[in-house]
Amino acid sequence: MPTYSIGQAAGLLGVSAETVRRWADGGQLRMDRDGVGNRVIDGVSLAAFAKERAAGLHPVPGEVLTSVRNSFAGIVTKVTLDEVIAQVEIQSGPHRLVSVVSREAVEELGIEVGVRATARVKSTHVHIDRAGERS
């Protein structure tokens, strides 16, 4: 069964780590200790708590489920806005990805320099190059 740290649980629930600690200390959210003494929350308990907390509310954003297999997590290094479109640059390790999206999407997602973001690439045309000489 997966377990989550306080910080991970906070991210999934859309609250601060301190809020998660208060819920645990108040008995609203069950926490255990792992083998080295860190406080952890088991996935089943966290899922039940999240579902109960979201009842009647809009769902709290969590992990993204996607069919896209090419994901590049990184940091936004540049945003160029036009009236309608925006160009967003993400540095993912050694990879620089540039995407053109709507200005509206950038504003709704809060995309700005310094924000963590994931570029997802899905294409019917993928080119593969091989380094070296042909035999």
Side-chain angles (χ1 to χ4, degrees):
M1 169 180 19
T3 59
Y4 297 89
S5 69
I6 290 173
Q8 290 170 322
L12 291 169
L13 295 170
V15 298
S16 70
E18 184 56 35
T19 297
V20 173
R21 282 188 198 92
R22 279 195 309 269
W23 285 336
D25 293 344
Q28 296 170 284
L29 181 59
R30 183 175 157 234
M31 267 198 212
D32 296 311
R33 299 255 179 206
D34 65 10
V36 293
N38 295 319
R39 295 172 81 177
V40 294
I41 304 156
D42 73 83
V44 173
S45 295
L46 183 59
F49 182 81
K51 187 174 179 180
E52 178 182 308
R53 185 172 175 272
L57 303 173
H58 293 288
V60 177
E63 290 295 317
V64 173
L65 299 177
T66 180
S67 66
V68 178
R69 297 293 175 239
N70 303 305
S71 299
F72 299 89
I75 188 166
V76 176
T77 57
K78 185 176 179 182
V79 177
T80 306
L81 296 172
D82 198 344
E83 287 185 35
V84 178
I85 64 165
Q87 180 176 308
V88 178
E89 293 184 22
I90 296 174
Q91 191 68 38
S92 176
H95 307 288
R96 176 179 163 258
L97 296 110
V98 180
S99 180
V100 176
V101 297
S102 72
R103 179 184 183 124
E104 180 180 23
V106 166
E107 291 170 350
E108 285 179 5
L109 293 171
I111 301 294
E112 59 187 22
V113 172
V115 170
R116 289 185 307 165
T118 301
R120 298 190 196 279
V121 181
K122 186 169 186 171
S123 175
T124 56
H125 297 21
V126 176
H127 302 267
I128 300 173
D129 296 329
R130 180 177 177 268
E133 296 181 29
R134 295 180 73 180
S135 39

mmCIF file with all atom_site columns, all heavy atoms in Angstrom, residues 76-82 84-90 96-103 106 111 113:
data_model
loop_
_atom_site.group_PDB
_atom_site.id
_atom_site.type_symbol
_atom_site.label_atom_id
_atom_site.label_alt_id
_atom_site.label_comp_id
_atom_site.label_asym_id
_atom_site.label_entity_id
_atom_site.label_seq_id
_atom_site.pdbx_PDB_ins_code
_atom_site.Cartn_x
_atom_site.Cartn_y
_atom_site.Cartn_z
_atom_site.occupancy
_atom_site.B_iso_or_equiv
_atom_site.pdbx_formal_charge
_atom_site.auth_seq_id
_atom_site.auth_comp_id
_atom_site.auth_asym_id
_atom_site.auth_atom_id
_atom_site.pdbx_PDB_model_num
ATOM 1   N N   . VAL A 1 76  ? 9.432  26.669 -15.514 1.00 0.00 ? 76  VAL A N   1
ATOM 2   C CA  . VAL A 1 76  ? 9.183  27.647 -16.572 1.00 0.00 ? 76  VAL A CA  1
ATOM 3   C C   . VAL A 1 76  ? 10.305 28.681 -16.527 1.00 0.00 ? 76  VAL A C   1
ATOM 4   O O   . VAL A 1 76  ? 10.581 29.272 -15.477 1.00 0.00 ? 76  VAL A O   1
ATOM 5   C CB  . VAL A 1 76  ? 7.811  28.324 -16.397 1.00 0.00 ? 76  VAL A CB  1
ATOM 6   C CG1 . VAL A 1 76  ? 7.608  29.413 -17.447 1.00 0.00 ? 76  VAL A CG1 1
ATOM 7   C CG2 . VAL A 1 76  ? 6.691  27.292 -16.471 1.00 0.00 ? 76  VAL A CG2 1
ATOM 8   N N   . THR A 1 77  ? 10.980 28.871 -17.674 1.00 0.00 ? 77  THR A N   1
ATOM 9   C CA  . THR A 1 77  ? 12.097 29.811 -17.747 1.00 0.00 ? 77  THR A CA  1
ATOM 10  C C   . THR A 1 77  ? 11.757 31.078 -18.514 1.00 0.00 ? 77  THR A C   1
ATOM 11  O O   . THR A 1 77  ? 12.450 32.081 -18.385 1.00 0.00 ? 77  THR A O   1
ATOM 12  C CB  . THR A 1 77  ? 13.323 29.152 -18.402 1.00 0.00 ? 77  THR A CB  1
ATOM 13  O OG1 . THR A 1 77  ? 12.949 28.666 -19.703 1.00 0.00 ? 77  THR A OG1 1
ATOM 14  C CG2 . THR A 1 77  ? 13.845 28.003 -17.548 1.00 0.00 ? 77  THR A CG2 1
ATOM 15  N N   . LYS A 1 78  ? 10.689 31.044 -19.318 1.00 0.00 ? 78  LYS A N   1
ATOM 16  C CA  . LYS A 1 78  ? 10.327 32.233 -20.096 1.00 0.00 ? 78  LYS A CA  1
ATOM 17  C C   . LYS A 1 78  ? 8.872  32.128 -20.528 1.00 0.00 ? 78  LYS A C   1
ATOM 18  O O   . LYS A 1 78  ? 8.410  31.056 -20.912 1.00 0.00 ? 78  LYS A O   1
ATOM 19  C CB  . LYS A 1 78  ? 11.225 32.351 -21.335 1.00 0.00 ? 78  LYS A CB  1
ATOM 20  C CG  . LYS A 1 78  ? 11.007 33.609 -22.141 1.00 0.00 ? 78  LYS A CG  1
ATOM 21  C CD  . LYS A 1 78  ? 12.006 33.686 -23.292 1.00 0.00 ? 78  LYS A CD  1
ATOM 22  C CE  . LYS A 1 78  ? 11.787 34.929 -24.122 1.00 0.00 ? 78  LYS A CE  1
ATOM 23  N NZ  . LYS A 1 78  ? 12.716 34.992 -25.269 1.00 0.00 ? 78  LYS A NZ  1
ATOM 24  N N   . VAL A 1 79  ? 8.166  33.241 -20.465 1.00 0.00 ? 79  VAL A N   1
ATOM 25  C CA  . VAL A 1 79  ? 6.796  33.330 -20.970 1.00 0.00 ? 79  VAL A CA  1
ATOM 26  C C   . VAL A 1 79  ? 6.708  34.596 -21.802 1.00 0.00 ? 79  VAL A C   1
ATOM 27  O O   . VAL A 1 79  ? 7.003  35.690 -21.312 1.00 0.00 ? 79  VAL A O   1
ATOM 28  C CB  . VAL A 1 79  ? 5.746  33.374 -19.835 1.00 0.00 ? 79  VAL A CB  1
ATOM 29  C CG1 . VAL A 1 79  ? 4.345  33.539 -20.404 1.00 0.00 ? 79  VAL A CG1 1
ATOM 30  C CG2 . VAL A 1 79  ? 5.839  32.144 -18.953 1.00 0.00 ? 79  VAL A CG2 1
ATOM 31  N N   . THR A 1 80  ? 6.320  34.456 -23.060 1.00 0.00 ? 80  THR A N   1
ATOM 32  C CA  . THR A 1 80  ? 6.135  35.598 -23.944 1.00 0.00 ? 80  THR A CA  1
ATOM 33  C C   . THR A 1 80  ? 4.657  35.668 -24.302 1.00 0.00 ? 80  THR A C   1
ATOM 34  O O   . THR A 1 80  ? 4.128  34.727 -24.900 1.00 0.00 ? 80  THR A O   1
ATOM 35  C CB  . THR A 1 80  ? 6.983  35.452 -25.225 1.00 0.00 ? 80  THR A CB  1
ATOM 36  O OG1 . THR A 1 80  ? 8.348  35.230 -24.853 1.00 0.00 ? 80  THR A OG1 1
ATOM 37  C CG2 . THR A 1 80  ? 6.873  36.687 -26.093 1.00 0.00 ? 80  THR A CG2 1
ATOM 38  N N   . LEU A 1 81  ? 4.013  36.763 -23.911 1.00 0.00 ? 81  LEU A N   1
ATOM 39  C CA  . LEU A 1 81  ? 2.570  36.908 -24.134 1.00 0.00 ? 81  LEU A CA  1
ATOM 40  C C   . LEU A 1 81  ? 2.285  37.824 -25.306 1.00 0.00 ? 81  LEU A C   1
ATOM 41  O O   . LEU A 1 81  ? 2.918  38.867 -25.462 1.00 0.00 ? 81  LEU A O   1
ATOM 42  C CB  . LEU A 1 81  ? 1.897  37.482 -22.882 1.00 0.00 ? 81  LEU A CB  1
ATOM 43  C CG  . LEU A 1 81  ? 1.948  36.626 -21.627 1.00 0.00 ? 81  LEU A CG  1
ATOM 44  C CD1 . LEU A 1 81  ? 1.410  37.407 -20.444 1.00 0.00 ? 81  LEU A CD1 1
ATOM 45  C CD2 . LEU A 1 81  ? 1.162  35.346 -21.823 1.00 0.00 ? 81  LEU A CD2 1
ATOM 46  N N   . ASP A 1 82  ? 1.314  37.429 -26.110 1.00 0.00 ? 82  ASP A N   1
ATOM 47  C CA  . ASP A 1 82  ? 0.774  38.249 -27.185 1.00 0.00 ? 82  ASP A CA  1
ATOM 48  C C   . ASP A 1 82  ? -0.679 38.502 -26.804 1.00 0.00 ? 82  ASP A C   1
ATOM 49  O O   . ASP A 1 82  ? -1.123 38.105 -25.735 1.00 0.00 ? 82  ASP A O   1
ATOM 50  C CB  . ASP A 1 82  ? 0.876  37.474 -28.505 1.00 0.00 ? 82  ASP A CB  1
ATOM 51  C CG  . ASP A 1 82  ? 0.746  38.360 -29.725 1.00 0.00 ? 82  ASP A CG  1
ATOM 52  O OD1 . ASP A 1 82  ? 0.284  39.508 -29.585 1.00 0.00 ? 82  ASP A OD1 1
ATOM 53  O OD2 . ASP A 1 82  ? 1.090  37.895 -30.829 1.00 0.00 ? 82  ASP A OD2 1
ATOM 54  N N   . VAL A 1 84  ? -3.324 37.101 -28.070 1.00 0.00 ? 84  VAL A N   1
ATOM 55  C CA  . VAL A 1 84  ? -4.104 35.869 -28.114 1.00 0.00 ? 84  VAL A CA  1
ATOM 56  C C   . VAL A 1 84  ? -3.292 34.641 -27.712 1.00 0.00 ? 84  VAL A C   1
ATOM 57  O O   . VAL A 1 84  ? -3.822 33.735 -27.084 1.00 0.00 ? 84  VAL A O   1
ATOM 58  C CB  . VAL A 1 84  ? -4.690 35.659 -29.535 1.00 0.00 ? 84  VAL A CB  1
ATOM 59  C CG1 . VAL A 1 84  ? -5.472 34.351 -29.617 1.00 0.00 ? 84  VAL A CG1 1
ATOM 60  C CG2 . VAL A 1 84  ? -5.575 36.825 -29.922 1.00 0.00 ? 84  VAL A CG2 1
ATOM 61  N N   . ILE A 1 85  ? -2.025 34.602 -28.070 1.00 0.00 ? 85  ILE A N   1
ATOM 62  C CA  . ILE A 1 85  ? -1.216 33.413 -27.808 1.00 0.00 ? 85  ILE A CA  1
ATOM 63  C C   . ILE A 1 85  ? -0.082 33.715 -26.828 1.00 0.00 ? 85  ILE A C   1
ATOM 64  O O   . ILE A 1 85  ? 0.207  34.867 -26.527 1.00 0.00 ? 85  ILE A O   1
ATOM 65  C CB  . ILE A 1 85  ? -0.622 32.819 -29.105 1.00 0.00 ? 85  ILE A CB  1
ATOM 66  C CG1 . ILE A 1 85  ? 0.334  33.809 -29.748 1.00 0.00 ? 85  ILE A CG1 1
ATOM 67  C CG2 . ILE A 1 85  ? -1.697 32.376 -30.056 1.00 0.00 ? 85  ILE A CG2 1
ATOM 68  C CD1 . ILE A 1 85  ? 1.228  33.192 -30.801 1.00 0.00 ? 85  ILE A CD1 1
ATOM 69  N N   . ALA A 1 86  ? 0.545  32.658 -26.376 1.00 0.00 ? 86  ALA A N   1
ATOM 70  C CA  . ALA A 1 86  ? 1.701  32.775 -25.499 1.00 0.00 ? 86  ALA A CA  1
ATOM 71  C C   . ALA A 1 86  ? 2.714  31.709 -25.873 1.00 0.00 ? 86  ALA A C   1
ATOM 72  O O   . ALA A 1 86  ? 2.349  30.616 -26.295 1.00 0.00 ? 86  ALA A O   1
ATOM 73  C CB  . ALA A 1 86  ? 1.280  32.611 -24.041 1.00 0.00 ? 86  ALA A CB  1
ATOM 74  N N   . GLN A 1 87  ? 3.974  32.040 -25.720 1.00 0.00 ? 87  GLN A N   1
ATOM 75  C CA  . GLN A 1 87  ? 5.046  31.074 -25.914 1.00 0.00 ? 87  GLN A CA  1
ATOM 76  C C   . GLN A 1 87  ? 5.626  30.784 -24.535 1.00 0.00 ? 87  GLN A C   1
ATOM 77  O O   . GLN A 1 87  ? 5.992  31.703 -23.804 1.00 0.00 ? 87  GLN A O   1
ATOM 78  C CB  . GLN A 1 87  ? 6.121  31.633 -26.828 1.00 0.00 ? 87  GLN A CB  1
ATOM 79  C CG  . GLN A 1 87  ? 7.271  30.673 -27.064 1.00 0.00 ? 87  GLN A CG  1
ATOM 80  C CD  . GLN A 1 87  ? 8.267  31.233 -28.055 1.00 0.00 ? 87  GLN A CD  1
ATOM 81  O OE1 . GLN A 1 87  ? 7.878  31.647 -29.138 1.00 0.00 ? 87  GLN A OE1 1
ATOM 82  N NE2 . GLN A 1 87  ? 9.529  31.235 -27.684 1.00 0.00 ? 87  GLN A NE2 1
ATOM 83  N N   . VAL A 1 88  ? 5.670  29.512 -24.178 1.00 0.00 ? 88  VAL A N   1
ATOM 84  C CA  . VAL A 1 88  ? 6.143  29.093 -22.863 1.00 0.00 ? 88  VAL A CA  1
ATOM 85  C C   . VAL A 1 88  ? 7.369  28.203 -23.042 1.00 0.00 ? 88  VAL A C   1
ATOM 86  O O   . VAL A 1 88  ? 7.329  27.248 -23.813 1.00 0.00 ? 88  VAL A O   1
ATOM 87  C CB  . VAL A 1 88  ? 5.045  28.320 -22.100 1.00 0.00 ? 88  VAL A CB  1
ATOM 88  C CG1 . VAL A 1 88  ? 5.558  27.854 -20.748 1.00 0.00 ? 88  VAL A CG1 1
ATOM 89  C CG2 . VAL A 1 88  ? 3.792  29.161 -21.944 1.00 0.00 ? 88  VAL A CG2 1
ATOM 90  N N   . GLU A 1 89  ? 8.440  28.529 -22.313 1.00 0.00 ? 89  GLU A N   1
ATOM 91  C CA  . GLU A 1 89  ? 9.650  27.716 -22.340 1.00 0.00 ? 89  GLU A CA  1
ATOM 92  C C   . GLU A 1 89  ? 9.800  27.025 -20.993 1.00 0.00 ? 89  GLU A C   1
ATOM 93  O O   . GLU A 1 89  ? 9.648  27.660 -19.949 1.00 0.00 ? 89  GLU A O   1
ATOM 94  C CB  . GLU A 1 89  ? 10.881 28.573 -22.617 1.00 0.00 ? 89  GLU A CB  1
ATOM 95  C CG  . GLU A 1 89  ? 10.901 29.169 -24.000 1.00 0.00 ? 89  GLU A CG  1
ATOM 96  C CD  . GLU A 1 89  ? 12.180 29.931 -24.301 1.00 0.00 ? 89  GLU A CD  1
ATOM 97  O OE1 . GLU A 1 89  ? 13.211 29.681 -23.639 1.00 0.00 ? 89  GLU A OE1 1
ATOM 98  O OE2 . GLU A 1 89  ? 12.132 30.773 -25.213 1.00 0.00 ? 89  GLU A OE2 1
ATOM 99  N N   . ILE A 1 90  ? 10.096 25.727 -21.055 1.00 0.00 ? 90  ILE A N   1
ATOM 100 C CA  . ILE A 1 90  ? 10.310 24.930 -19.854 1.00 0.00 ? 90  ILE A CA  1
ATOM 101 C C   . ILE A 1 90  ? 11.672 24.271 -19.964 1.00 0.00 ? 90  ILE A C   1
ATOM 102 O O   . ILE A 1 90  ? 12.012 23.703 -21.009 1.00 0.00 ? 90  ILE A O   1
ATOM 103 C CB  . ILE A 1 90  ? 9.216  23.848 -19.696 1.00 0.00 ? 90  ILE A CB  1
ATOM 104 C CG1 . ILE A 1 90  ? 7.848  24.504 -19.491 1.00 0.00 ? 90  ILE A CG1 1
ATOM 105 C CG2 . ILE A 1 90  ? 9.551  22.889 -18.554 1.00 0.00 ? 90  ILE A CG2 1
ATOM 106 C CD1 . ILE A 1 90  ? 6.692  23.521 -19.469 1.00 0.00 ? 90  ILE A CD1 1
ATOM 107 N N   . ARG A 1 96  ? 15.233 21.679 -23.250 1.00 0.00 ? 96  ARG A N   1
ATOM 108 C CA  . ARG A 1 96  ? 14.470 22.922 -23.336 1.00 0.00 ? 96  ARG A CA  1
ATOM 109 C C   . ARG A 1 96  ? 13.278 22.649 -24.234 1.00 0.00 ? 96  ARG A C   1
ATOM 110 O O   . ARG A 1 96  ? 13.435 22.227 -25.378 1.00 0.00 ? 96  ARG A O   1
ATOM 111 C CB  . ARG A 1 96  ? 15.326 24.028 -23.930 1.00 0.00 ? 96  ARG A CB  1
ATOM 112 C CG  . ARG A 1 96  ? 14.588 25.324 -24.153 1.00 0.00 ? 96  ARG A CG  1
ATOM 113 C CD  . ARG A 1 96  ? 15.549 26.385 -24.731 1.00 0.00 ? 96  ARG A CD  1
ATOM 114 N NE  . ARG A 1 96  ? 14.815 27.473 -25.306 1.00 0.00 ? 96  ARG A NE  1
ATOM 115 C CZ  . ARG A 1 96  ? 14.612 27.654 -26.605 1.00 0.00 ? 96  ARG A CZ  1
ATOM 116 N NH1 . ARG A 1 96  ? 15.119 26.813 -27.490 1.00 0.00 ? 96  ARG A NH1 1
ATOM 117 N NH2 . ARG A 1 96  ? 13.913 28.672 -27.047 1.00 0.00 ? 96  ARG A NH2 1
ATOM 118 N N   . LEU A 1 97  ? 12.074 22.855 -23.697 1.00 0.00 ? 97  LEU A N   1
ATOM 119 C CA  . LEU A 1 97  ? 10.861 22.645 -24.480 1.00 0.00 ? 97  LEU A CA  1
ATOM 120 C C   . LEU A 1 97  ? 10.151 23.982 -24.648 1.00 0.00 ? 97  LEU A C   1
ATOM 121 O O   . LEU A 1 97  ? 10.059 24.761 -23.699 1.00 0.00 ? 97  LEU A O   1
ATOM 122 C CB  . LEU A 1 97  ? 9.938  21.648 -23.776 1.00 0.00 ? 97  LEU A CB  1
ATOM 123 C CG  . LEU A 1 97  ? 10.569 20.262 -23.659 1.00 0.00 ? 97  LEU A CG  1
ATOM 124 C CD1 . LEU A 1 97  ? 10.903 19.984 -22.220 1.00 0.00 ? 97  LEU A CD1 1
ATOM 125 C CD2 . LEU A 1 97  ? 9.651  19.236 -24.214 1.00 0.00 ? 97  LEU A CD2 1
ATOM 126 N N   . VAL A 1 98  ? 9.654  24.214 -25.837 1.00 0.00 ? 98  VAL A N   1
ATOM 127 C CA  . VAL A 1 98  ? 8.946  25.455 -26.135 1.00 0.00 ? 98  VAL A CA  1
ATOM 128 C C   . VAL A 1 98  ? 7.575  25.086 -26.670 1.00 0.00 ? 98  VAL A C   1
ATOM 129 O O   . VAL A 1 98  ? 7.454  24.246 -27.564 1.00 0.00 ? 98  VAL A O   1
ATOM 130 C CB  . VAL A 1 98  ? 9.706  26.307 -27.176 1.00 0.00 ? 98  VAL A CB  1
ATOM 131 C CG1 . VAL A 1 98  ? 8.955  27.590 -27.469 1.00 0.00 ? 98  VAL A CG1 1
ATOM 132 C CG2 . VAL A 1 98  ? 11.127 26.598 -26.706 1.00 0.00 ? 98  VAL A CG2 1
ATOM 133 N N   . SER A 1 99  ? 6.549  25.712 -26.118 1.00 0.00 ? 99  SER A N   1
ATOM 134 C CA  . SER A 1 99  ? 5.187  25.434 -26.550 1.00 0.00 ? 99  SER A CA  1
ATOM 135 C C   . SER A 1 99  ? 4.447  26.734 -26.804 1.00 0.00 ? 99  SER A C   1
ATOM 136 O O   . SER A 1 99  ? 4.630  27.712 -26.080 1.00 0.00 ? 99  SER A O   1
ATOM 137 C CB  . SER A 1 99  ? 4.450  24.638 -25.465 1.00 0.00 ? 99  SER A CB  1
ATOM 138 O OG  . SER A 1 99  ? 3.126  24.365 -25.871 1.00 0.00 ? 99  SER A OG  1
ATOM 139 N N   . VAL A 1 100 ? 3.623  26.722 -27.814 1.00 0.00 ? 100 VAL A N   1
ATOM 140 C CA  . VAL A 1 100 ? 2.752  27.860 -28.092 1.00 0.00 ? 100 VAL A CA  1
ATOM 141 C C   . VAL A 1 100 ? 1.343  27.452 -27.689 1.00 0.00 ? 100 VAL A C   1
ATOM 142 O O   . VAL A 1 100 ? 0.809  26.460 -28.185 1.00 0.00 ? 100 VAL A O   1
ATOM 143 C CB  . VAL A 1 100 ? 2.800  28.259 -29.586 1.00 0.00 ? 100 VAL A CB  1
ATOM 144 C CG1 . VAL A 1 100 ? 1.813  29.369 -29.877 1.00 0.00 ? 100 VAL A CG1 1
ATOM 145 C CG2 . VAL A 1 100 ? 4.214  28.679 -29.974 1.00 0.00 ? 100 VAL A CG2 1
ATOM 146 N N   . VAL A 1 101 ? 0.781  28.189 -26.759 1.00 0.00 ? 101 VAL A N   1
ATOM 147 C CA  . VAL A 1 101 ? -0.557 27.912 -26.237 1.00 0.00 ? 101 VAL A CA  1
ATOM 148 C C   . VAL A 1 101 ? -1.334 29.210 -26.187 1.00 0.00 ? 101 VAL A C   1
ATOM 149 O O   . VAL A 1 101 ? -0.788 30.291 -26.431 1.00 0.00 ? 101 VAL A O   1
ATOM 150 C CB  . VAL A 1 101 ? -0.487 27.274 -24.825 1.00 0.00 ? 101 VAL A CB  1
ATOM 151 C CG1 . VAL A 1 101 ? 0.215  25.928 -24.865 1.00 0.00 ? 101 VAL A CG1 1
ATOM 152 C CG2 . VAL A 1 101 ? 0.204  28.188 -23.839 1.00 0.00 ? 101 VAL A CG2 1
ATOM 153 N N   . SER A 1 102 ? -2.598 29.124 -25.848 1.00 0.00 ? 102 SER A N   1
ATOM 154 C CA  . SER A 1 102 ? -3.387 30.349 -25.764 1.00 0.00 ? 102 SER A CA  1
ATOM 155 C C   . SER A 1 102 ? -2.983 31.170 -24.544 1.00 0.00 ? 102 SER A C   1
ATOM 156 O O   . SER A 1 102 ? -2.564 30.633 -23.513 1.00 0.00 ? 102 SER A O   1
ATOM 157 C CB  . SER A 1 102 ? -4.885 30.032 -25.704 1.00 0.00 ? 102 SER A CB  1
ATOM 158 O OG  . SER A 1 102 ? -5.220 29.476 -24.455 1.00 0.00 ? 102 SER A OG  1
ATOM 159 N N   . ARG A 1 103 ? -3.112 32.468 -24.650 1.00 0.00 ? 103 ARG A N   1
ATOM 160 C CA  . ARG A 1 103 ? -2.844 33.361 -23.516 1.00 0.00 ? 103 ARG A CA  1
ATOM 161 C C   . ARG A 1 103 ? -3.802 33.025 -22.375 1.00 0.00 ? 103 ARG A C   1
ATOM 162 O O   . ARG A 1 103 ? -3.425 33.034 -21.204 1.00 0.00 ? 103 ARG A O   1
ATOM 163 C CB  . ARG A 1 103 ? -3.010 34.810 -23.951 1.00 0.00 ? 103 ARG A CB  1
ATOM 164 C CG  . ARG A 1 103 ? -2.768 35.795 -22.835 1.00 0.00 ? 103 ARG A CG  1
ATOM 165 C CD  . ARG A 1 103 ? -3.038 37.240 -23.238 1.00 0.00 ? 103 ARG A CD  1
ATOM 166 N NE  . ARG A 1 103 ? -2.710 38.105 -22.128 1.00 0.00 ? 103 ARG A NE  1
ATOM 167 C CZ  . ARG A 1 103 ? -1.853 39.106 -22.191 1.00 0.00 ? 103 ARG A CZ  1
ATOM 168 N NH1 . ARG A 1 103 ? -1.249 39.381 -23.330 1.00 0.00 ? 103 ARG A NH1 1
ATOM 169 N NH2 . ARG A 1 103 ? -1.614 39.843 -21.131 1.00 0.00 ? 103 ARG A NH2 1
ATOM 170 N N   . VAL A 1 106 ? -2.520 30.133 -20.301 1.00 0.00 ? 106 VAL A N   1
ATOM 171 C CA  . VAL A 1 106 ? -1.415 30.551 -19.445 1.00 0.00 ? 106 VAL A CA  1
ATOM 172 C C   . VAL A 1 106 ? -1.946 31.293 -18.226 1.00 0.00 ? 106 VAL A C   1
ATOM 173 O O   . VAL A 1 106 ? -1.515 31.045 -17.092 1.00 0.00 ? 106 VAL A O   1
ATOM 174 C CB  . VAL A 1 106 ? -0.418 31.429 -20.236 1.00 0.00 ? 106 VAL A CB  1
ATOM 175 C CG1 . VAL A 1 106 ? 0.553  32.149 -19.315 1.00 0.00 ? 106 VAL A CG1 1
ATOM 176 C CG2 . VAL A 1 106 ? 0.336  30.574 -21.247 1.00 0.00 ? 106 VAL A CG2 1
ATOM 177 N N   . ILE A 1 111 ? 0.701  30.212 -15.209 1.00 0.00 ? 111 ILE A N   1
ATOM 178 C CA  . ILE A 1 111 ? 2.039  29.935 -15.724 1.00 0.00 ? 111 ILE A CA  1
ATOM 179 C C   . ILE A 1 111 ? 2.846  31.225 -15.738 1.00 0.00 ? 111 ILE A C   1
ATOM 180 O O   . ILE A 1 111 ? 2.443  32.212 -16.343 1.00 0.00 ? 111 ILE A O   1
ATOM 181 C CB  . ILE A 1 111 ? 1.974  29.343 -17.155 1.00 0.00 ? 111 ILE A CB  1
ATOM 182 C CG1 . ILE A 1 111 ? 1.170  28.052 -17.172 1.00 0.00 ? 111 ILE A CG1 1
ATOM 183 C CG2 . ILE A 1 111 ? 3.371  29.143 -17.725 1.00 0.00 ? 111 ILE A CG2 1
ATOM 184 C CD1 . ILE A 1 111 ? 1.769  26.908 -16.414 1.00 0.00 ? 111 ILE A CD1 1
ATOM 185 N N   . VAL A 1 113 ? 7.297  32.621 -14.995 1.00 0.00 ? 113 VAL A N   1
ATOM 186 C CA  . VAL A 1 113 ? 8.683  32.213 -14.776 1.00 0.00 ? 113 VAL A CA  1
ATOM 187 C C   . VAL A 1 113 ? 8.855  31.770 -13.326 1.00 0.00 ? 113 VAL A C   1
ATOM 188 O O   . VAL A 1 113 ? 8.385  32.422 -12.401 1.00 0.00 ? 113 VAL A O   1
ATOM 189 C CB  . VAL A 1 113 ? 9.646  33.364 -15.119 1.00 0.00 ? 113 VAL A CB  1
ATOM 190 C CG1 . VAL A 1 113 ? 11.068 33.016 -14.716 1.00 0.00 ? 113 VAL A CG1 1
ATOM 191 C CG2 . VAL A 1 113 ? 9.576  33.690 -16.602 1.00 0.00 ? 113 VAL A CG2 1
#
